[in-house]
Amino acid sequence: MKKILFVTSEAHPLIKTGGLADVSSSLPKALSTLGQDVRLVLPNYGSLKLDNEVHLHSTFSLGSHTVKLLETKLPDSTVPVLLVDCPEYFAMAGNPYVDAFGHSYPNNAERFALFCRVAIEIAMNRVELDWKPDVVHCNDWQTGLVPALLSLEYQCPPTVFTIHNMAYQGLFSGITAAALQLPSQLLSQDGLEFHGMISFIKGGIAYADKITTVSPTYAQEIQTPEFGYGLEGLLIYRNDDLVGIINGIDAEWNPEIDHLIAHTYSSYSLENKVKNKIALQTHLNLPKDENVLVLGLISRLVEQKGIDLLLDCLQELLTLPVQIVILGSGDKGFEHRLQQFAAAYTHKMSLTLGYNESLAHSIEAGVDVFLMPSRFEPCGLNQMYSQRYGTLPIVRKTGGLADTVIDTLPESIVEGTATGFIFNDEHAGALLEAIKRAMLVHNIPQVWQQLQTNAMHGDFSWKNSAEQYLALYESIE
Ligand code: ADP
């Protein structure tokens, strides 16, 4: 049994701003199910949604701060969560990183440096827990100082650093760096220094024993200038210690037991998927038609997700015999352009602006094809949910999308491996061509059903991912 300290700045359902929160609850739970002793450490934000009992573990001083270590459990599990309580840094309600106007808190460097320092105290068994981890698993820039600071400790446990999105780096000015009073040996060009600033994410990348990211293709992509944001050289240097491990999906995304959909189904009862299509069309006031190809998209409406690629071919797409269902929110310009199309094509297009978990499930169950024309996608979830629901994804060949979808080609049809449609160019024409390919295949029901069955039988479980992390922990004993 491995003792794993999982250091993270968010964990669902306690606090969530993005996919990191999902990984930070699902992976520890899956590791715990595999018999591992895993404990989370998280800041005690004012906005944490705490249902379980919280008790005080210990109180200690760190620099000029008095820190309390609280302990609770991750909801619906036995996984312990240690909460770093330091009200002057974490007590504010709302988002953990930015204020109500979306501006980063001016003391983020100090806040997360303190969080990292407490994680070091826990990792080195200096907080009366009587527990020393065999491995410390850190996530994203907020925890990047942990591998750096731990490297200076005598008999320190090995570290794993996971990059969930390279786009967020935790860059701070030299003046802030001085205020943090970090040991000078960490501030060199081989360490935290980045063009006259300090980079928290670089601490993770430079000092962790192993680096992971959330898909094998993204692990390659971040070694290029386009995706590496200036750290591609270091990532190439650390290439032997860098691996991509695809995230799993939660058990609630399962059409056999999903209570948010009109009719449950499996690969053996695909006729019930058609009933979900009719239910969705009825719900969204689209013409009821079980034969028309229905395309779905659920996403943050931002440039990363390639929404402009869809917009640039939407006019032509809407002349084809398809329906399109969109759920999302984000960039106001994209929202406005989509609204204009939806108003002009009420019989073919449904647009729901906002966040709606229940509708997201109904769309996954009810549409035939799911669109993900992303510019970059470290892992992506919806392409995996879609496959689980027999909804064939159309994806751009990037990151986790490239790793989890098998393109429909003559060979992959014969081999019984095809699960969706892949296009390469970051261009509306390439997306439209992939949609047209899907339309052709949709006209051959036996082939379409075979693709649905292939997709539904894929293993996207957290157990699978957790076993890969465990093998990695074992490789750095
Ligand atoms: P990212 O984390 O970059 O937004 P992912 O594909 O990894 O992209 O995960 C996005 C998750 O958020 C998916 O579960 C998706 O269904 C969900 N989601 C995004 N927008 C909405 C929305 N408007 N309503 C419901 N769920 C949404």
Side-chain angles (χ1 to χ4, degrees):
M1 184 179 65
K2 283 250 163 266
K3 287 183 277 183
I4 305 147
L5 181 65
F6 196 88
V7 190
T8 181
S9 58
E10 47 187 281
H12 177 75
L14 304 177
I15 179 99
K16 171 168 171 170
T17 72
L20 169 63
D22 294 319
V23 177
S24 300
S25 71
S26 300
L27 176 58
K29 283 195 232 171
L31 287 164
S32 169
T33 306
L34 292 177
Q36 311 307 308
D37 176 3
V38 51
R39 304 185 187 191
L40 262 73
V41 56
L42 188 77
N44 188 31
Y45 306 113
S47 45
L48 284 188
K49 290 196 202 93
L50 291 167
D51 291 341
N52 291 336
E53 197 182 312
V54 180
H55 66 264
L56 175 64
H57 194 279
S58 53
T59 305
F60 53 94
S61 298
L62 210 55
S64 57
H65 300 278
T66 302
V67 176
K68 290 192 177 114
L69 202 58
L70 311 176
E71 189 169 340
T72 185
K73 295 255 188 282
L74 204 54
D76 303 324
S77 80
T78 55
V79 174
V81 181
L82 298 164
L83 298 173
V84 175
D85 187 68
C86 179
E88 60 272 34
Y89 279 166
F90 301 120
M92 73 286 263
N95 185 293
Y97 319 121
V98 296
D99 64 19
F101 304 100
H103 300 138
S104 295
Y105 295 121
N107 61 351
N108 271 350
E110 289 86 348
R111 295 170 72 226
F112 288 102
L114 177 102
F115 175 58
C116 291
R117 286 188 157 118
V118 176
I120 301 291
E121 295 306 296
I122 300 169
M124 295 307 296
N125 196 15
R126 295 196 287 247
V127 290
E128 301 165 33
L129 270 180
D130 196 18
W131 184 83
K132 184 165 184 185
D134 301 314
V135 59
V136 180
H137 187 158
C138 307
N139 295 275
D140 276 353
W141 73 262
Q142 293 85 350
T143 66
L145 294 186
V146 173
L149 290 166
L150 211 48
S151 73
L152 304 177
E153 297 280 348
Y154 177 64
Q155 292 192 331
C156 60
T159 50
V160 172
F161 183 73
T162 297
I163 301 164
H164 298 264
N165 192 337
M166 241 352 247
Y168 304 102
Q169 308 217 331
L171 286 180
F172 301 100
S173 71
I175 300 166
T176 309
L180 297 180
Q181 298 186 324
L182 293 165
S184 57
Q185 25 329 13
L186 298 179
L187 301 177
S188 68
Q189 285 193 354
D190 298 334
L192 302 172
E193 195 278 340
F194 186 75
H195 301 288
M197 296 179 282
I198 60 160
S199 162
F200 276 34
I201 201 172
K202 198 174 166 213
I205 297 170
Y207 292 98
D209 293 282
K210 293 284 176 190
I211 305 155
T212 78
T213 186
V214 287
S215 68
T217 295
Y218 195 58
Q220 296 302 317
E221 287 172 340
I222 58 177
Q223 296 178 52
T224 65
E226 194 184 347
F227 299 96
Y229 299 91
L231 288 172
E232 57 276 7
L234 177 60
L235 286 158
I236 292 169
Y237 175 72
R238 297 281 340 249
N239 176 284
D240 286 348
D241 296 312
L242 170 62
V243 290
I245 300 177
I246 288 279
N247 292 334
I249 61 174
D250 281 343
E252 70 190 50
W253 288 95
N254 177 353
E256 294 177 37
I257 53 161
D258 188 338
H259 2 264
L260 295 172
I261 65 178
H263 302 272
T264 53
Y265 62 97
S266 72
S267 61
Y268 303 103
S269 55
L270 280 169
E271 62 287 356
N272 280 348
K273 179 164 170 60
V274 180
K275 293 185 191 163
N276 284 292
K277 180 167 174 174
I278 300 292
L280 182 69
Q281 289 167 329
T282 310
H283 178 65
L284 298 174
N285 287 323
L286 287 168
K288 282 181 245 171
D289 180 346
E290 61 180 57
N291 296 317
V292 67
L293 187 79
V294 185
L295 314 166
L297 180 144
I298 307 166
S299 179
R300 291 184 290 123
L301 302 175
V302 295
E303 201 187 320
Q304 180 201 332
K305 302 293 179 180
I307 304 303
D308 48 323
L309 301 193
L310 175 64
L311 278 162
D312 289 349
C313 67
L314 200 48
Q315 184 79 55
E316 189 176 343
L317 180 58
L318 287 163
T319 65
L320 302 175
V322 296
Q323 292 179 354
I324 175 156
V325 173
I326 298 178
L327 166 63
S329 65
D331 181 289
K332 295 296 163 219
F334 289 150
E335 289 187 357
H336 181 66
R337 285 173 71 192
L338 287 169
Q339 273 172 318
Q340 286 179 321
F341 278 108
Y345 292 90
T346 47
H347 60 298
K348 284 197 144 182
M349 176 168 165
S350 158
L351 171 67
T352 309
L353 294 178
Y355 192 93
N356 186 333
E357 189 84 24
S358 166
L359 181 58
H361 283 250
S362 305
I363 293 174
E364 283 292 6
V367 304
D368 300 295
V369 160
F370 195 93
L371 303 177
M372 287 184 88
S374 305
R375 292 210 150 67
F376 73 94
E377 196 67 76
C379 178
L381 290 172
N382 272 308
Q383 83 281 11
M384 295 191 273
Y385 301 157
S386 297
Q387 290 179 67
R388 196 80 192 72
Y389 283 68
T391 295
L392 303 185
I394 295 183
V395 301
R396 202 172 89 74
K397 189 172 184 176
T398 183
L401 302 178
D403 293 324
T404 54
V405 178
I406 298 177
D407 197 15
T408 299
L409 297 168
E411 314 84 85
S412 60
I413 294 179
V414 173
E415 288 162 5
T417 51
T419 63
F421 302 87
I422 302 185
F423 67 98
N424 201 18
D425 294 345
E426 205 177 294
H427 193 272
L431 167 62
L432 190 61
E433 199 204 321
I435 295 172
K436 287 180 179 169
R437 271 206 293 143
M439 291 177 75
L440 285 176
V441 181
H442 188 244
N443 285 333
I444 317 168
Q446 301 102 298
V447 177
W448 192 263
Q449 275 168 25
Q450 182 59 52
L451 300 186
Q452 288 181 302
T453 307
N454 299 344
M456 293 176 88
H457 290 176
D459 181 358
F460 300 116
S461 66
W462 266 110
K463 178 171 183 284
N464 193 349
S465 309
E467 281 168 351
Q468 293 179 56
Y469 280 105
L470 195 52
L472 184 76
Y473 301 152
E474 277 159 4
S475 75
I476 49 171
E477 269 175 290

